[in-house]
Amino acid sequence: MNDYLDPINAVGMPEKIDSAIAVDLLITIKEAIRNYSVALTEAASPEVRTTIRNQMEAALDFQTEITELMVNKKWFHPYDVAEQQMLDLKAAQTAVDIAGLQLFPENNNRKGLFPTPPE
């Protein structure tokens, strides 16, 4: 992968991006659930506790949906540690590969790579 602008290097990228967004969403919703649980222990009024509990239950339902989506798409393997480890290693290698890309190639002439109208 010497040229990040070459369209061939984008093969499979949409699925990688979708899985990365899903992982980020899962991490974010878990953090929200954790924050709701802390807020629930500090709430003084019953009305506020009820509101926080309802929000936390909605967040738990959303977390379940995200997890099920990731399992169905084979982006997450919560019951198979070996499979999840292989997936994590592959993701780490992809991150290393992306970090190693030459972002500003010396030759940035893309003439001929994409269809262009005649001059």
Side-chain angles (χ1 to χ4, degrees):
M1 218 188 316
N2 295 329
D3 187 352
Y4 78 101
L5 292 177
D6 190 344
I8 194 66
N9 292 325
V11 172
M13 196 57 69
E15 179 152 339
K16 290 178 186 176
I17 291 170
D18 288 348
S19 67
I21 291 170
V23 167
D24 190 44
L25 189 56
L26 183 63
I27 291 168
T28 301
I29 198 67
K30 285 182 173 190
E31 183 179 334
I33 292 166
R34 192 174 306 118
N35 291 340
Y36 282 133
S37 67
V38 170
L40 191 58
T41 64
E42 296 178 2
S45 73
E47 294 84 12
V48 171
R49 280 196 298 272
T50 299
T51 301
I52 293 171
R53 188 177 305 111
N54 290 341
Q55 291 293 317
M56 188 168 72
E57 288 175 3
L60 285 165
D61 291 341
F62 189 47
Q63 187 255 343
T64 300
E65 290 179 32
I66 296 166
T67 302
E68 287 174 356
L69 170 78
M70 292 177 67
V71 168
N72 291 339
K73 296 268 189 181
K74 301 194 184 327
W75 296 337
F76 184 48
H77 304 280
Y79 305 111
D80 188 349
V81 176
E83 187 68 29
Q84 185 62 44
Q85 184 179 23
M86 293 300 294
L87 192 63
D88 291 345
L89 288 171
K90 185 177 177 184
Q93 185 59 52
T94 300
V96 169
D97 292 345
I98 290 170
L101 288 175
Q102 182 182 358
L103 295 179
F104 302 101
E106 290 180 28
N107 177 9
N108 58 10
N109 180 0
R110 299 292 172 252
K111 194 168 187 172
L113 276 179
F114 299 98
T116 55
E119 294 177 13

